[in-house]
Amino acid sequence: GVGNAVFRQGTEGQCIRVAPYYRWNLGEWLVGRYALYMGMRYDRDYYDVGTRLDVLWKNYRYLQVGGTLMPYYDSFLKGLVGYQAYIQSFLLKEIGVFAGAKNLPDFRNVERRCMGGLVFAAGILCIRPEVSVPMNGGTHLSRVSLFFVYRSP
């Protein structure tokens, strides 16, 4: 996959990240994805490299449990580890809700946040709008993120 940050700043302050991944199934109920990634700002001010492991236990449509572990290296911040844990439920066949906690970096640094949102999953496309708020008083910013996942058939 390829990710690009979109902020209210010029192109030189944005970053791009490339992440080839391998998706696997362990039986019917456990799905995982392993990725290696590399990213940098367009002005080459910094770079980061890392790995990411995502796991989703989906034994029941009404209750699924997921998690992520993401150790990475940032050229300025050095070595960091991000994580997330969440539960999700599909009340309708293609529409679900999720809630959890994370410290995955939205931009560069880890930050403890509560998150929640919706999941729209139809065939090979999954869209996941998310709202996250900080768990501590270090920052006062709530974020709205939108994730698109295209699954190969």
Side-chain angles (χ1 to χ4, degrees), residues 24 31-37 49-56 66-73 80-86 101-105 110 115:
W24 48 268
V31 177
R33 185 176 72 172
Y34 181 74
L36 298 172
Y37 72 86
V49 294
T51 185
R52 179 175 171 144
L53 175 64
D54 295 288
V55 177
L56 177 64
T68 300
L69 183 62
M70 188 176 107
Y72 68 101
Y73 177 84
L80 298 166
V81 177
Y83 65 85
Q84 79 176 349
Y86 62 94
K102 69 177 185 172
N103 81 340
L104 292 178
V110 295
M115 62 177 187

Side-chain angles (χ1 to χ4, degrees), residues 111-114 132-143:
E111 178 182 24
R112 292 180 51 208
R113 302 179 74 78
C114 292
S132 66
V133 295
M135 287 187 191
N136 56 19
T139 182
H140 302 290
L141 297 174
S142 295
R143 294 192 183 106

Side-chain angles (χ1 to χ4, degrees), residues 56-133:
L56 177 64
W57 177 75
K58 56 181 197 170
N59 193 12
Y60 302 104
R61 186 178 97 185
Y62 300 109
L63 179 63
Q64 301 176 355
V65 179
T68 300
L69 183 62
M70 188 176 107
Y72 68 101
Y73 177 84
D74 181 290
S75 61
F76 180 73
L77 301 170
K78 305 304 178 200
L80 298 166
V81 177
Y83 65 85
Q84 79 176 349
Y86 62 94
I87 59 171
Q88 68 183 17
S89 178
F90 282 85
L91 304 175
L92 302 173
K93 184 178 179 182
E94 298 173 341
I95 301 172
V97 296
F98 70 93
K102 69 177 185 172
N103 81 340
L104 292 178
D106 286 329
F107 186 52
R108 291 178 66 186
N109 205 356
V110 295
E111 178 182 24
R112 292 180 51 208
R113 302 179 74 78
C114 292
M115 62 177 187
L118 301 172
V119 180
F120 302 97
I124 59 174
L125 181 63
C126 179
I127 300 171
R128 192 176 123 160
E130 172 186 301
V131 174
S132 66
V133 295

